[in-house]
Amino acid sequence: MRICHDRSAALLVAAIAVAATGPASAHDPHKPELNAWFKSLKNKAGAPCCDGGDGEQARAEWDMGKAGYKVQLKNPQRPDEPGTWFLVPDTVVIQQPNLSGAAMVWWWPSYDIDGTMTPQWRCFIPGPGS
């Protein structure tokens, strides 16, 4: 649980940066009936996504060529730059009905020595039309 909280803090900072630059937002606090559902979500390895408060809505689409999902993520250290599209590893895709109605992703950024951001994935749940 400690790791989840540490990552939650990093994701909170990332979510704030993303929210300040675009329409992405976390779980709607006005829908508390979804809290238990968000907390129950796990990726294919059984790792929890934590809760909806540290996930963010994602611009997502199905990549026909790669037969998988891709999401557009903004680099929290460069919020003025456009987002970059990343392929979502199949191991983190949640394949159950999405009660929130929006594609959501749980991730945190990792940086190379040159500042290149690479997402570290926890979970992804497609939305309608993704």
Side-chain angles (χ1 to χ4, degrees):
M1 196 62 176
R2 173 83 178 141
I3 292 171
C4 192
H5 280 282
D6 291 346
R7 290 182 181 159
S8 293
L11 284 171
L12 178 60
V13 171
I16 289 169
V18 170
T21 62
S25 61
H27 165 60
D28 184 350
H30 300 295
K31 294 184 179 178
E33 68 275 12
L34 294 180
N35 288 346
W37 175 75
F38 274 109
K39 289 180 182 180
S40 75
L41 295 176
K42 293 182 171 61
N43 64 28
K44 290 179 182 172
C49 301
C50 284
D51 62 43
D54 61 1
E56 63 184 65
Q57 288 185 10
R59 184 169 173 205
E61 51 188 55
W62 180 257
D63 186 321
M64 296 287 286
K66 305 280 185 186
Y69 291 99
K70 60 183 179 178
V71 296
Q72 188 177 37
L73 302 174
K74 283 198 162 258
N75 183 338
Q77 292 184 350
R78 299 178 183 158
D80 294 333
E81 293 181 4
T84 302
W85 287 93
F86 294 94
L87 289 173
V88 178
D90 185 60
T91 56
V92 302
V93 176
I94 299 168
Q95 296 186 341
Q96 68 181 54
N98 183 340
L99 302 180
S100 76
M104 293 191 69
V105 63
W106 289 261
W107 70 287
W108 69 96
S110 174
Y111 297 95
D112 294 335
I113 195 153
D114 67 356
T116 303
M117 182 191 79
T118 304
Q120 301 299 306
W121 306 96
R122 268 195 296 171
C123 299
F124 169 76
I125 190 164
S130 294

